[in-house]
Coordinates of all heavy atoms in Angstrom, one line a residue:
I502 N 0.8 -1.2 0.0 CA 0.0 0.0 0.0 C 0.9 1.3 0.0 O 0.6 2.2 -0.8 CB -1.0 0.0 1.2 CG1 -2.0 -1.2 1.1 CG2 -1.7 1.3 1.4 CD1 -2.8 -1.3 2.3
V503 N 1.9 1.3 0.8 CA 2.8 2.5 0.9 C 3.4 2.8 -0.4 O 3.6 3.9 -0.7 CB 3.8 2.2 2.1 CG1 4.8 3.4 2.1 CG2 3.1 2.1 3.4
T504 N 3.8 1.7 -1.1 CA 4.5 2.0 -2.4 C 3.6 2.2 -3.5 O 4.0 2.3 -4.7 CB 5.5 0.8 -2.7 OG1 4.7 -0.3 -3.0 CG2 6.5 0.6 -1.6
N505 N 2.3 2.2 -3.3 CA 1.2 2.4 -4.3 C 1.3 1.4 -5.4 O 1.1 1.7 -6.6 CB 1.3 3.8 -4.9 CG 0.0 4.3 -5.5 OD1 -1.1 3.9 -5.1 ND2 0.1 5.0 -6.6
G506 N 1.7 0.1 -5.0 CA 1.8 -0.9 -6.0 C 3.0 -1.0 -6.9 O 3.2 -1.9 -7.7
I507 N 3.9 -0.1 -6.7 CA 5.2 0.0 -7.4 C 6.1 -1.2 -7.0 O 6.7 -1.9 -7.9 CB 5.9 1.3 -7.3 CG1 5.1 2.4 -7.9 CG2 7.3 1.3 -7.9 CD1 5.5 3.8 -7.5
Y508 N 6.2 -1.4 -5.8 CA 7.1 -2.6 -5.3 C 6.2 -3.7 -4.7 O 5.2 -3.4 -4.0 CB 8.1 -2.1 -4.2 CG 8.9 -1.0 -4.7 CD1 8.8 0.4 -4.2 CD2 10.0 -1.2 -5.5 CE1 9.5 1.4 -4.7 CE2 10.8 -0.2 -6.0 CZ 10.6 1.1 -5.5 OH 11.4 2.1 -6.0
R509 N 6.5 -4.9 -5.0 CA 5.7 -6.0 -4.5 C 6.3 -6.5 -3.2 O 7.4 -6.5 -3.0 CB 5.8 -7.1 -5.6 CG 5.2 -6.7 -6.9 CD 3.8 -6.6 -6.9 NE 3.2 -6.3 -8.2 CZ 2.1 -5.7 -8.3 NH1 1.2 -5.5 -7.3 NH2 1.6 -5.4 -9.5
S510 N 5.3 -7.0 -2.4 CA 5.8 -7.5 -1.1 C 6.4 -8.9 -1.2 O 6.4 -9.5 -2.3 CB 4.6 -7.7 -0.1 OG 4.0 -8.9 -0.3
I511 N 7.1 -9.4 -0.2 CA 7.8 -10.7 -0.2 C 6.8 -11.8 -0.3 O 7.2 -12.9 -0.6 CB 8.7 -10.8 1.0 CG1 7.9 -10.8 2.3 CG2 9.8 -9.9 1.0 CD1 8.6 -11.2 3.5
E512 N 5.5 -11.6 -0.2 CA 4.5 -12.7 -0.4 C 4.5 -13.1 -1.8 O 4.2 -14.2 -2.1 CB 3.1 -12.2 -0.1 CG 2.8 -11.9 1.3 CD 1.4 -11.3 1.5 OE1 0.7 -11.2 0.5 OE2 1.0 -11.1 2.7
H513 N 4.9 -12.2 -2.8 CA 4.9 -12.6 -4.2 C 6.2 -13.4 -4.6 O 7.3 -13.1 -4.0 CB 4.8 -11.3 -5.0 CG 3.6 -10.5 -4.7 ND1 2.3 -10.9 -5.2 CD2 3.3 -9.5 -3.9 CE1 1.4 -10.1 -4.8 NE2 2.0 -9.2 -3.9
R514 N 6.0 -14.3 -5.4 CA 7.1 -15.1 -5.9 C 8.0 -14.4 -6.8 O 7.6 -13.7 -7.7 CB 6.6 -16.4 -6.6 CG 7.6 -17.2 -7.1 CD 7.0 -18.4 -7.9 NE 7.1 -19.5 -7.1 CZ 6.4 -20.7 -7.3 NH1 5.6 -20.7 -8.3 NH2 6.6 -21.7 -6.5
A515 N 9.3 -14.5 -6.6 CA 10.3 -13.8 -7.5 C 10.8 -14.9 -8.5 O 11.0 -16.0 -8.2 CB 11.5 -13.3 -6.7
T516 N 11.0 -14.4 -9.7 CA 11.6 -15.3 -10.8 C 13.0 -15.0 -10.9 O 13.5 -13.8 -11.0 CB 10.8 -14.9 -12.1 OG1 9.5 -15.1 -12.0 CG2 11.4 -15.8 -13.2
V517 N 13.8 -16.0 -10.9 CA 15.3 -15.9 -11.0 C 15.6 -15.6 -12.4 O 15.1 -16.2 -13.4 CB 15.9 -17.2 -10.5 CG1 17.5 -17.1 -10.7 CG2 15.6 -17.6 -9.1
N518 N 16.5 -14.6 -12.6 CA 16.9 -14.2 -13.9 C 18.5 -14.2 -13.9 O 19.0 -13.4 -13.2 CB 16.3 -12.9 -14.3 CG 16.7 -12.4 -15.6 OD1 17.7 -12.8 -16.2 ND2 15.9 -11.4 -16.1
K519 N 19.1 -15.1 -14.7 CA 20.6 -15.1 -14.6 C 21.2 -13.9 -15.3 O 22.4 -13.7 -15.1 CB 21.1 -16.4 -15.3 CG 20.8 -16.5 -16.7 CD 21.3 -17.8 -17.2 CE 21.1 -18.0 -18.8 NZ 21.5 -19.2 -19.3
L520 N 20.4 -13.1 -16.0 CA 21.0 -11.9 -16.7 C 20.8 -10.7 -15.8 O 21.5 -9.7 -16.1 CB 20.3 -11.7 -18.0 CG 20.4 -12.9 -19.0 CD1 19.6 -12.6 -20.3 CD2 21.9 -13.2 -19.3
K521 N 20.0 -10.7 -14.9 CA 19.7 -9.5 -14.1 C 19.7 -9.8 -12.6 O 19.0 -10.6 -12.2 CB 18.4 -8.8 -14.5 CG 18.1 -7.5 -13.9 CD 16.8 -7.0 -14.4 CE 16.5 -5.6 -13.8 NZ 15.2 -5.1 -14.3
E522 N 20.5 -9.0 -11.8 CA 20.6 -9.3 -10.4 C 19.4 -8.7 -9.7 O 18.9 -7.7 -10.1 CB 21.9 -8.6 -9.9 CG 22.2 -8.9 -8.4 CD 23.5 -8.3 -7.9 OE1 24.5 -8.3 -8.7 OE2 23.5 -7.7 -6.8
R523 N 18.9 -9.4 -8.6 CA 17.8 -8.9 -7.9 C 18.2 -8.7 -6.4 O 18.9 -9.6 -5.9 CB 16.7 -9.9 -8.0 CG 15.5 -9.5 -7.1 CD 14.4 -10.6 -7.2 NE 13.4 -10.3 -6.2 CZ 12.2 -9.8 -6.5 NH1 11.9 -9.5 -7.7 NH2 11.3 -9.5 -5.5
L524 N 17.8 -7.7 -5.8 CA 18.1 -7.4 -4.4 C 16.8 -7.1 -3.7 O 15.9 -6.4 -4.1 CB 19.0 -6.1 -4.3 CG 19.3 -5.7 -3.0 CD1 20.1 -6.7 -2.2 CD2 20.0 -4.3 -3.0
S525 N 16.6 -7.9 -2.6 CA 15.4 -7.7 -1.8 C 15.8 -7.1 -0.5 O 16.7 -7.7 0.1 CB 14.6 -9.0 -1.6 OG 14.1 -9.4 -2.8
I526 N 15.1 -6.1 0.0 CA 15.4 -5.5 1.4 C 14.1 -5.5 2.1 O 13.1 -5.0 1.7 CB 15.9 -4.1 1.1 CG1 17.2 -4.1 0.3 CG2 16.2 -3.4 2.5 CD1 17.7 -2.7 -0.1
A527 N 14.2 -6.1 3.4 CA 13.0 -6.1 4.2 C 13.1 -4.8 5.0 O 14.1 -4.4 5.5 CB 13.1 -7.2 5.2
T528 N 11.9 -4.1 5.1 CA 11.9 -2.8 5.9 C 10.6 -2.9 6.7 O 9.7 -3.7 6.5 CB 11.8 -1.6 4.9 OG1 10.6 -1.7 4.1 CG2 13.0 -1.5 4.1
F529 N 10.6 -2.1 7.7 CA 9.4 -2.0 8.6 C 8.9 -0.6 8.6 O 9.7 0.3 8.6 CB 9.8 -2.5 10.0 CG 10.4 -3.9 10.1 CD1 11.6 -4.2 9.9 CD2 9.4 -4.9 10.2 CE1 12.1 -5.4 9.9 CE2 9.9 -6.2 10.2 CZ 11.2 -6.5 10.0
Y530 N 7.6 -0.5 8.6 CA 6.9 0.8 8.6 C 6.0 0.8 9.8 O 5.1 0.0 10.0 CB 6.2 0.9 7.3 CG 5.4 2.2 7.1 CD1 6.1 3.4 7.0 CD2 4.0 2.2 7.1 CE1 5.4 4.6 6.7 CE2 3.3 3.4 6.9 CZ 4.0 4.6 6.8 OH 3.4 5.8 6.6
N531 N 6.1 1.9 10.6 CA 5.3 2.0 11.8 C 4.5 3.3 11.8 O 5.0 4.3 12.2 CB 6.2 2.0 13.1 CG 5.4 1.9 14.3 OD1 4.2 2.0 14.3 ND2 6.1 2.0 15.4
P532 N 3.3 3.2 11.3 CA 2.4 4.4 11.1 C 1.6 4.7 12.3 O 0.5 5.4 12.2 CB 1.6 4.1 9.9 CG 1.4 2.6 10.1 CD 2.6 2.0 10.6
I533 N 1.9 4.2 13.5 CA 1.0 4.3 14.6 C 0.8 5.8 14.9 O 1.7 6.7 14.8 CB 1.7 3.7 15.9 CG1 1.9 2.2 15.7 CG2 0.8 4.0 17.2 CD1 0.7 1.4 15.5
N534 N -0.5 6.2 15.2 CA -1.0 7.6 15.4 C -0.8 8.4 14.2 O -0.8 9.6 14.3 CB -0.2 8.2 16.5 CG -0.5 7.5 17.8 OD1 -1.5 7.0 18.1 ND2 0.6 7.5 18.7
K535 N -0.8 7.8 13.0 CA -0.7 8.5 11.7 C -1.7 7.9 10.7 O -2.4 7.0 11.0 CB 0.7 8.5 11.2 CG 1.7 9.2 12.1 CD 3.0 9.1 11.5 CE 4.1 9.8 12.5 NZ 5.4 9.8 12.0
E536 N -1.6 8.4 9.5 CA -2.4 7.8 8.4 C -1.6 6.7 7.7 O -0.3 6.7 7.8 CB -2.7 8.9 7.3 CG -3.9 9.7 7.6 CD -4.2 10.5 6.3 OE1 -3.4 10.8 5.5 OE2 -5.4 10.8 6.2
F537 N -2.3 5.8 7.1 CA -1.7 4.7 6.4 C -2.3 4.7 5.0 O -3.5 4.9 4.8 CB -2.1 3.3 7.1 CG -1.3 2.2 6.6 CD1 0.0 2.0 6.9 CD2 -1.9 1.3 5.7 CE1 0.7 1.0 6.5 CE2 -1.1 0.2 5.2 CZ 0.2 0.0 5.7
G538 N -1.4 4.7 4.0 CA -1.8 4.8 2.6 C -0.6 5.0 1.7 O 0.6 4.9 2.2
P539 N -0.7 5.3 0.5 CA 0.4 5.4 -0.5 C 1.2 6.6 0.0 O 0.7 7.6 0.4 CB -0.3 5.6 -1.8 CG -1.7 5.1 -1.7 CD -2.0 5.3 -0.3
A540 N 2.5 6.5 -0.2 CA 3.4 7.6 0.1 C 3.1 8.8 -0.9 O 2.9 8.6 -2.0 CB 4.9 7.2 -0.1
H541 N 3.0 9.9 -0.3 CA 2.6 11.1 -1.1 C 3.6 11.3 -2.3 O 3.1 11.7 -3.4 CB 2.6 12.4 -0.3 CG 1.5 12.4 0.8 ND1 0.2 12.4 0.6 CD2 1.6 12.2 2.1 CE1 -0.5 12.3 1.6 NE2 0.3 12.3 2.6
S542 N 4.8 11.0 -2.1 CA 5.8 11.2 -3.2 C 5.6 10.2 -4.3 O 6.2 10.4 -5.4 CB 7.2 11.1 -2.7 OG 7.4 9.8 -2.1
L543 N 4.8 9.2 -4.1 CA 4.7 8.2 -5.2 C 3.3 8.3 -5.9 O 3.0 7.6 -6.8 CB 4.8 6.7 -4.7 CG 6.1 6.4 -4.1 CD1 6.1 5.0 -3.5 CD2 7.2 6.5 -5.1
V544 N 2.5 9.3 -5.5 CA 1.2 9.5 -6.1 C 1.4 10.8 -7.0 O 1.7 11.9 -6.5 CB 0.1 9.8 -5.0 CG1 -1.2 10.1 -5.7 CG2 -0.1 8.5 -4.2
T545 N 1.2 10.6 -8.3 CA 1.3 11.7 -9.3 C 0.1 11.6 -10.2 O -0.7 10.8 -10.1 CB 2.6 11.5 -10.0 OG1 2.5 10.4 -10.9 CG2 3.8 11.5 -9.2
E546 N 0.1 12.6 -11.1 CA -1.0 12.6 -12.1 C -0.9 11.4 -13.0 O -1.9 10.8 -13.4 CB -0.9 13.9 -12.9 CG -2.1 14.1 -13.8 CD -2.0 15.5 -14.5 OE1 -1.9 16.5 -13.8 OE2 -2.1 15.5 -15.7
K547 N 0.3 11.0 -13.3 CA 0.5 9.8 -14.2 C 0.4 8.5 -13.3 O 0.1 7.4 -13.9 CB 1.9 9.8 -14.8 CG 2.1 10.8 -15.8 CD 3.5 10.8 -16.5 CE 3.6 11.8 -17.6 NZ 4.9 11.7 -18.2
S548 N 0.6 8.5 -12.1 CA 0.5 7.3 -11.2 C -0.4 7.7 -10.0 O 0.0 7.9 -8.9 CB 1.9 7.0 -10.7 OG 1.8 5.9 -9.8
P549 N -1.8 7.7 -10.3 CA -2.7 8.1 -9.2 C -2.7 7.0 -8.1 O -2.3 5.9 -8.2 CB -4.1 8.1 -9.9 CG -3.9 7.2 -11.1 CD -2.5 7.4 -11.5
A550 N -3.3 7.4 -6.9 CA -3.3 6.5 -5.8 C -4.2 5.2 -6.1 O -5.3 5.4 -6.7 CB -4.0 7.2 -4.6
L551 N -3.6 4.1 -5.8 CA -4.3 2.8 -6.1 C -5.0 2.3 -4.8 O -5.8 1.4 -4.8 CB -3.3 1.8 -6.6 CG -2.6 2.0 -7.8 CD1 -1.6 0.9 -8.2 CD2 -3.6 2.3 -9.0
F552 N -4.6 2.9 -3.6 CA -5.1 2.5 -2.3 C -5.7 3.7 -1.5 O -5.1 4.8 -1.7 CB -4.1 1.8 -1.5 CG -3.6 0.6 -2.2 CD1 -2.4 0.7 -3.0 CD2 -4.2 -0.6 -2.1 CE1 -1.9 -0.5 -3.7 CE2 -3.7 -1.7 -2.8 CZ -2.6 -1.7 -3.6
R553 N -6.7 3.5 -0.7 CA -7.2 4.5 0.2 C -6.3 4.9 1.3 O -5.4 4.2 1.7 CB -8.5 4.0 0.8 CG -9.6 3.6 -0.1 CD -10.9 3.2 0.6 NE -10.8 2.1 1.3 CZ -11.0 2.0 2.7 NH1 -11.4 3.0 3.4 NH2 -10.9 0.8 3.3
R554 N -6.4 6.1 1.8 CA -5.7 6.6 3.0 C -6.7 6.4 4.1 O -7.9 6.6 4.1 CB -5.3 8.0 2.9 CG -4.4 8.3 1.8 CD -3.7 9.6 1.9 NE -2.7 9.6 3.0 CZ -1.6 9.0 3.0 NH1 -1.2 8.3 1.9 NH2 -0.7 9.1 3.9
I555 N -6.2 5.9 5.3 CA -7.0 5.6 6.4 C -6.1 5.8 7.7 O -4.9 5.7 7.7 CB -7.5 4.1 6.4 CG1 -8.5 3.8 7.4 CG2 -6.3 3.2 6.3 CD1 -9.2 2.4 7.2
A556 N -6.8 6.2 8.8 CA -6.1 6.3 10.0 C -5.4 5.0 10.4 O -6.1 3.9 10.2 CB -7.0 6.8 11.2
A557 N -4.2 5.0 10.9 CA -3.5 3.7 11.2 C -4.3 2.9 12.2 O -4.4 1.7 12.0 CB -2.1 4.0 11.8
K558 N -4.9 3.5 13.2 CA -5.7 2.7 14.1 C -6.8 2.0 13.5 O -7.2 0.8 13.8 CB -6.1 3.5 15.3 CG -7.1 4.6 15.0 CD -7.6 5.3 16.2 CE -8.7 6.2 15.8 NZ -9.4 6.8 16.9
D559 N -7.5 2.6 12.5 CA -8.6 2.0 11.8 C -8.1 0.9 10.8 O -8.8 -0.1 10.6 CB -9.4 3.0 11.0 CG -10.1 4.0 12.0 OD1 -10.4 3.6 13.1 OD2 -10.3 5.2 11.6
Y560 N -6.9 1.2 10.2 CA -6.3 0.1 9.4 C -6.1 -1.2 10.1 O -6.5 -2.2 9.7 CB -5.0 0.7 8.7 CG -4.3 -0.4 8.0 CD1 -4.7 -0.8 6.7 CD2 -3.2 -1.1 8.6 CE1 -3.9 -1.8 6.0 CE2 -2.6 -2.1 7.9 CZ -2.9 -2.4 6.6 OH -2.3 -3.4 5.9
F561 N -5.4 -1.0 11.2 CA -5.1 -2.2 12.0 C -6.3 -2.9 12.6 O -6.4 -4.1 12.7 CB -4.0 -1.9 13.1 CG -2.6 -1.7 12.6 CD1 -2.0 -0.5 12.6 CD2 -2.0 -2.6 11.9 CE1 -0.8 -0.2 12.1 CE2 -0.7 -2.5 11.4 CZ -0.1 -1.2 11.5
K562 N -7.2 -2.1 13.0 CA -8.5 -2.6 13.6 C -9.2 -3.5 12.4 O -9.6 -4.6 12.7 CB -9.4 -1.5 13.9 CG -10.7 -1.9 14.6 CD -11.5 -0.7 15.0 CE -12.9 -1.1 15.6 NZ -13.6 0.1 16.0
G563 N -9.3 -3.0 11.2 CA -9.9 -3.8 10.1 C -9.0 -4.9 9.7 O -9.5 -6.0 9.4
L564 N -7.7 -4.8 9.7 CA -6.8 -5.9 9.3 C -6.9 -7.1 10.3 O -7.1 -8.2 9.9 CB -5.3 -5.4 9.4 CG -4.3 -6.5 9.1 CD1 -4.4 -6.9 7.6 CD2 -2.9 -5.9 9.4
F565 N -6.9 -6.8 11.6 CA -7.0 -7.9 12.6 C -8.4 -8.5 12.8 O -8.5 -9.5 13.4 CB -6.3 -7.4 13.9 CG -4.8 -7.2 13.7 CD1 -4.3 -6.0 14.0 CD2 -4.0 -8.2 13.2 CE1 -2.9 -5.8 13.8 CE2 -2.6 -8.0 13.0 CZ -2.1 -6.8 13.4
A566 N -9.4 -7.8 12.3 CA -10.7 -8.2 12.5 C -11.1 -9.1 11.3 O -12.2 -9.8 11.4 CB -11.7 -7.0 12.5
R567 N -10.3 -9.3 10.3 CA -10.6 -10.1 9.2 C -10.5 -11.6 9.4 O -9.7 -12.0 10.2 CB -9.6 -9.8 8.0 CG -9.4 -8.3 7.7 CD -10.4 -7.8 6.6 NE -10.6 -8.6 5.5 CZ -11.6 -8.6 4.7 NH1 -12.6 -7.9 5.0 NH2 -11.7 -9.4 3.7
E568 N -11.4 -12.3 8.8 CA -11.3 -13.8 8.9 C -10.3 -14.2 7.8 O -9.9 -13.5 6.9 CB -12.7 -14.4 8.5 CG -13.7 -13.8 9.5 CD -14.5 -14.8 10.2 OE1 -14.3 -16.0 9.9 OE2 -15.2 -14.5 11.2
L569 N -9.8 -15.4 7.9 CA -8.8 -15.9 7.0 C -9.3 -16.2 5.6 O -8.5 -16.1 4.7 CB -8.1 -17.2 7.6 CG -7.3 -17.0 8.9 CD1 -6.8 -18.4 9.3 CD2 -6.2 -16.1 8.6
G570 N -10.6 -16.4 5.4 CA -11.1 -16.8 4.1 C -11.6 -15.5 3.4 O -11.7 -14.4 4.0
G571 N -11.7 -15.6 2.1 CA -12.2 -14.4 1.3 C -11.1 -13.5 0.9 O -10.0 -13.8 0.8
K572 N -11.5 -12.3 0.6 CA -10.6 -11.2 0.1 C -9.6 -10.9 1.1 O -9.7 -11.0 2.3 CB -11.4 -10.0 -0.2 CG -12.2 -9.9 -1.4 CD -12.7 -8.4 -1.4 CE -13.4 -8.0 -2.7 NZ -13.8 -6.6 -2.6
S573 N -8.4 -10.5 0.6 CA -7.3 -10.0 1.4 C -7.6 -8.6 1.8 O -8.4 -7.9 1.2 CB -6.0 -10.1 0.7 OG -5.9 -9.0 -0.2
Y574 N -7.1 -8.1 2.9 CA -7.3 -6.8 3.4 C -6.8 -5.8 2.4 O -7.2 -4.6 2.2 CB -6.7 -6.5 4.7 CG -7.4 -5.3 5.4 CD1 -8.7 -5.2 5.6 CD2 -6.6 -4.3 5.8 CE1 -9.3 -4.0 6.2 CE2 -7.1 -3.2 6.5 CZ -8.4 -3.1 6.6 OH -8.9 -1.9 7.2
L575 N -5.8 -6.2 1.6 CA -5.2 -5.4 0.6 C -6.3 -5.0 -0.5 O -6.4 -3.9 -0.9 CB -4.0 -6.1 -0.1 CG -3.2 -5.3 -1.2 CD1 -2.4 -4.2 -0.5 CD2 -2.3 -6.2 -1.9
D576 N -7.1 -6.0 -0.8 CA -8.2 -5.7 -1.7 C -9.2 -4.8 -1.1 O -9.9 -4.0 -1.9 CB -8.9 -7.1 -2.1 CG -8.0 -7.9 -3.0 OD1 -7.2 -7.4 -3.7 OD2 -8.2 -9.2 -2.9
V577 N -9.4 -4.8 0.1 CA -10.4 -3.8 0.8 C -9.9 -2.4 0.7 O -10.6 -1.5 0.5 CB -10.6 -4.3 2.3 CG1 -11.4 -3.2 3.0 CG2 -11.2 -5.7 2.4
M578 N -8.6 -2.3 0.8 CA -7.9 -0.9 0.8 C -7.8 -0.4 -0.7 O -7.6 0.8 -0.9 CB -6.5 -1.0 1.4 CG -6.5 -1.3 2.9 SD -7.3 0.1 3.8 CE -6.1 1.4 3.4
R579 N -7.9 -1.2 -1.7 CA -7.7 -0.8 -3.1 C -8.8 0.1 -3.5 O -10.0 -0.1 -3.3 CB -7.6 -2.1 -4.0 CG -7.1 -1.8 -5.4 CD -7.0 -3.1 -6.1 NE -6.3 -4.2 -5.5 CZ -5.0 -4.3 -5.5 NH1 -4.2 -3.4 -6.1 NH2 -4.4 -5.3 -4.9
I580 N -8.5 1.1 -4.3 CA -9.5 2.1 -4.9 C -9.8 1.4 -6.2 O -9.0 1.1 -7.1 CB -8.8 3.4 -5.2 CG1 -8.5 4.1 -3.8 CG2 -9.8 4.3 -6.0 CD1 -7.7 5.4 -4.0
N581 N -11.1 1.1 -6.4 CA -11.5 0.6 -7.7 C -11.8 1.6 -8.7 O -12.7 2.4 -8.6 CB -12.9 -0.2 -7.5 CG -12.6 -1.4 -6.6 OD1 -11.6 -2.0 -6.6 ND2 -13.6 -1.7 -5.7
N582 N -10.9 1.7 -9.7 CA -11.0 2.7 -10.8 C -11.9 2.2 -11.9 O -11.9 1.2 -12.4 CB -9.7 3.1 -11.4 CG -8.8 3.8 -10.3 OD1 -9.3 4.5 -9.5 ND2 -7.5 3.6 -10.3

């Protein structure tokens, strides 16, 4: 959500490419007492927001209230264009 879909999370499978090196870096983002959504610097006219902005407490409340079946919470946050 923070990268507005530009970078994929580690949940996604990576394809090995012997011609191009790949580097993965794990980072942590702590938006407590703030908003959660796409980074403002990644939202432009050419690349509009793909996800909603929401208060961090409401994001985590919704995330942890979800059942394991059905849509992922990422889909709930996605803006349907």
